[in-house]
Amino acid sequence: MALTVVGSVAFDALETPFGQRERILGGAATHFSLSASFFSRVNAVGIVGGDFGEAEWDVFRRHTINTTDIEIIPEGKTFFWSGRYDYDMNTAQTLDTQLNVFETFDPKLSEASRNAEYLFLANIQPTLQRQVREQCKDAKFVAMDTMNYWITSAKDELVKTIEAVDCMIINDAEARQLTEEPNIHKAARKILDFGLQALVIKRGEYGATLFTKDEFFVVPAYPLDSVFDPTGAGDTFAGGFMGYLASQSDVSTPVLRRAMIYGSVMASFNVEKFGTERVDALDYPEINQRFRDFKRMTHFDEIPFERATSVG
Amino acid sequence: MALTVVGSVAFDALETPFGQRERILGGAATHFSLSASFFSRVNAVGIVGGDFGEAEWDVFRRHTINTTDIEIIPEGKTFFWSGRYDYDMNTAQTLDTQLNVFETFDPKLSEASRNAEYLFLANIQPTLQRQVREQCKDAKFVAMDTMNYWITSAKDELVKTIEAVDCMIINDAEARQLTEEPNIHKAARKILDFGLQALVIKRGEYGATLFTKDEFFVVPAYPLDSVFDPTGAGDTFAGGFMGYLASQSDVSTPVLRRAMIYGSVMASFNVEKFGTERVDALDYPEINQRFRDFKRMTHFDEIPFERATSVG
């Protein structure tokens, strides 16, 4: 089934201990749609400037992503973000943000985008997220991201938006901040109580946890000797997660669990190279191999302990 | 098979946001042997003072722990530790340490203790650990703990001890400090290269990871709404891990994986009440139920993604 994503398309400048890039393709909608494209048909909704070139469009084309709804403002400039990571690769230090055309982003959805059964609202202003959600009347599963800035500056609007979706995909600090609850399990229950079917809490190098009303499911991060560039890991996770869901016939618990694994698989590839480089070059055998790696690193046999035979 | 543990037996004074205790039973060998006793016959080797009373011995008796090798110095006082936890329950602030009789601890192993097939060297001076290891000539699987103090003050001795055992069970900060390697997977390989068969790295509220030469296995922490008292969680983990190993006929990969789960199960109970209270009162149905909970929160079906059927 089809999947629509609404969010930023950007140029990033990055400095990490392993190298730097002055201008590479980035943005939440970019990372998300590239990742999701391995599993589903994706419509990307965003905005770019006249500086967005053929090399960038080619990345979307290679993955058959529908870019009809990426608006082009020929006289404007594309959203630009510049950041630096130190050896602790968990958090970026923002050096520069130039919103450019993104400042007046007003998502316009074509019929194809509006009719998608699955919808992901990447991190944009919560009121805009809700307007998009309302345009997609037939969406059967809608997920959203947000960030600390909106939790602080637009909490009421944000809560109204959460109440209009089925799933949130956020990091643990955001979950704690949103609920003012330090214990992550209590925080998760408070967020589910906004009426969500599912909540995914991302925990960086510690993996991600899925919470539903009755249970939860923990996925560790894939072990990597070096994380090269974590930019876009969260959106790549969301892309694998939502892309896989959209490829299945229902959103059941076993499907959600596998979606968590595919999200983790895709995120683990994303951080191995700069920007979109690694995911752009991925193939299915690599994805399925890493999926099996996740199984090997988490599964065990269930043999209940029998006291009588062993102690004494 | 039999399991011997050498380490501290202590009185603890604790302050947590949930209450306080002025003098309760504690110590690494105590928490370890209590936990291990659910799976194997345990010999505890330690030292206490004349202040160690019937109420304390009763805890060991209830679990049929062999205390022949817990030396009693009638005129001395038992090791005393006092600590405080704030709302971040991951790290204790030590308020007072009185080594007392533990200062001159010189482990003397009876034949029963020496002949055990499984041995755990809790956190004591590395040279003492090695002397004990050398006394247990027939031990087929020996694991050890250590702490930052020995890594700083006795690293050469510590490395010699590591080279004489089969397994280490330490926390992530210790693994990084020991190897001076920030990446935990690289740190793990360096430690395995001392000649270990297995390495367990404990990560507090994020669970624990088992590393062997060819693979690794990740267990999340059991989700608890409140961690009441984390004192002894690491030793309780080690007790469940080693106790389960000692109940099985070999130390194979599937057995090590289940041992990781039983260690995590026991640790999750330990933190639910003060000191030894919760583990002392445990029963097998509770243990097996939580083992199954771990399975439910980590397992997923393996269905490789097929592109042709779903994308396009």
Side-chain angles (χ1 to χ4, degrees), chain A residues 183 189 216 223 225 257 296, chain B residues 183 189 216 223 257 296:
Chain A
N183 181 286
R189 279 206 297 277
F216 62 92
D225 277 353
R257 287 174 173 235
R296 220 182 51 224
Chain B
N183 181 285
R189 277 207 298 276
F216 62 91
R257 287 173 174 235
R296 219 181 54 223

Side-chain angles (χ1 to χ4, degrees), chain A residues 197 210 212-217 244-245 250-260, chain B residues 296 299-301:
Chain A
Q197 175 185 346
L210 167 73
T212 56
K213 197 150 253 114
D214 300 318
E215 55 172 39
F216 62 92
F217 175 61
Y244 183 73
L245 288 184
D250 61 1
V251 185
S252 63
T253 297
V255 170
L256 280 167
R257 287 174 173 235
R258 289 198 297 274
M260 289 289 289
Chain B
R296 219 181 54 223
H299 280 224
F300 56 90
D301 310 324

Side-chain angles (χ1 to χ4, degrees), chain A residues 53 116 123 164 207 281:
Chain A
N123 168 38

Side-chain angles (χ1 to χ4, degrees), chain A residues 4-279:
Chain A
T4 294
V5 54
V6 180
S8 63
V9 177
F11 285 118
D12 290 343
L14 297 170
E15 292 174 33
T16 83
F18 310 107
Q20 58 179 64
R21 291 291 187 278
E22 281 185 16
R23 198 181 91 145
I24 57 175
L25 178 60
T30 306
H31 285 288
F32 179 97
S33 52
L34 209 55
S35 173
S37 73
F38 285 84
F39 306 96
S40 296
R41 259 183 310 131
V42 181
N43 310 303
V45 182
I47 189 167
V48 296
D51 54 350
F52 205 74
E54 283 309 302
E56 284 76 52
W57 291 118
D58 276 346
V59 175
F60 288 88
R61 281 186 205 119
R62 269 199 289 282
H63 298 276
T64 332
I65 296 161
N66 176 10
T67 57
T68 314
D69 291 343
I70 299 183
E71 192 179 352
I72 304 165
I73 309 289
E75 68 282 13
K77 284 178 70 183
T78 300
F79 178 28
F80 175 79
W81 177 80
S82 166
R84 178 167 59 203
Y85 296 90
D86 291 320
Y87 279 97
D88 170 8
M89 302 285 282
N90 279 317
T91 39
Q93 183 193 348
T94 292
L95 301 176
D96 189 14
T97 304
Q98 297 170 21
L99 290 176
N100 297 330
V101 296
F102 197 58
E103 191 159 11
T104 55
F105 181 40
D106 178 21
K108 295 170 195 73
L109 279 65
S110 60
E111 203 178 328
S113 292
R114 271 201 313 274
N115 289 344
E117 295 88 347
Y118 291 79
L119 172 64
F120 184 68
L121 305 163
N123 168 38
I124 56 173
Q125 207 277 331
T127 312
L128 277 187
Q129 288 178 314
R130 202 162 68 254
Q131 285 167 5
V132 171
R133 198 272 162 266
E134 285 163 3
Q135 286 182 59
C136 300
K137 295 201 191 311
D138 299 329
K140 64 178 228 179
F141 192 83
V142 182
M144 69 181 283
D145 187 9
T146 191
M147 71 184 291
N148 50 4
Y149 179 77
W150 306 121
I151 298 173
T152 307
S153 67
K155 189 159 172 183
D156 292 349
E157 276 300 299
L158 176 61
V159 168
K160 272 198 244 177
T161 304
I162 298 172
E163 288 170 346
V165 304
D166 306 290
C167 176
M168 256 191 125
I169 304 176
I170 56 178
N171 69 39
D172 46 5
E174 288 156 356
R176 290 191 172 102
Q177 189 191 350
L178 178 59
T179 57
E180 294 172 8
E181 169 58 60
N183 181 286
I184 204 72
H185 298 282
K186 289 185 188 170
R189 279 206 297 277
K190 282 190 181 179
I191 298 172
L192 283 176
D193 283 346
F194 289 124
L196 298 177
Q197 175 185 346
L199 167 68
V200 178
I201 296 185
K202 297 171 286 179
R203 308 184 95 175
E205 63 169 315
Y206 297 106
T209 303
L210 167 73
F211 297 84
T212 56
K213 197 150 253 114
D214 300 318
E215 55 172 39
F216 62 92
F217 175 61
V218 188
V219 186
Y222 189 80
L224 295 165
D225 277 353
S226 11
V227 171
F228 206 79
D229 169 21
T231 314
D235 294 302
T236 304
F237 175 95
F241 179 85
M242 291 294 288
Y244 183 73
L245 288 184
S247 77
Q248 303 294 300
S249 54
D250 61 1
V251 185
S252 63
T253 297
V255 170
L256 280 167
R257 287 174 173 235
R258 289 198 297 274
M260 289 289 289
I261 303 296
Y262 280 112
S264 305
V265 163
M266 300 306 285
S268 75
F269 284 118
N270 173 73
V271 303
E272 288 182 349
K273 288 194 180 176
F274 272 108
T276 57
E277 286 173 32
R278 183 69 177 97
V279 175

Side-chain angles (χ1 to χ4, degrees), chain B residues 244-262:
Chain B
Y244 183 73
L245 288 184
S247 77
Q248 302 294 300
S249 54
D250 61 0
V251 184
S252 64
T253 297
V255 170
L256 280 167
R257 287 173 174 235
R258 289 198 297 275
M260 288 289 290
I261 303 297
Y262 279 111

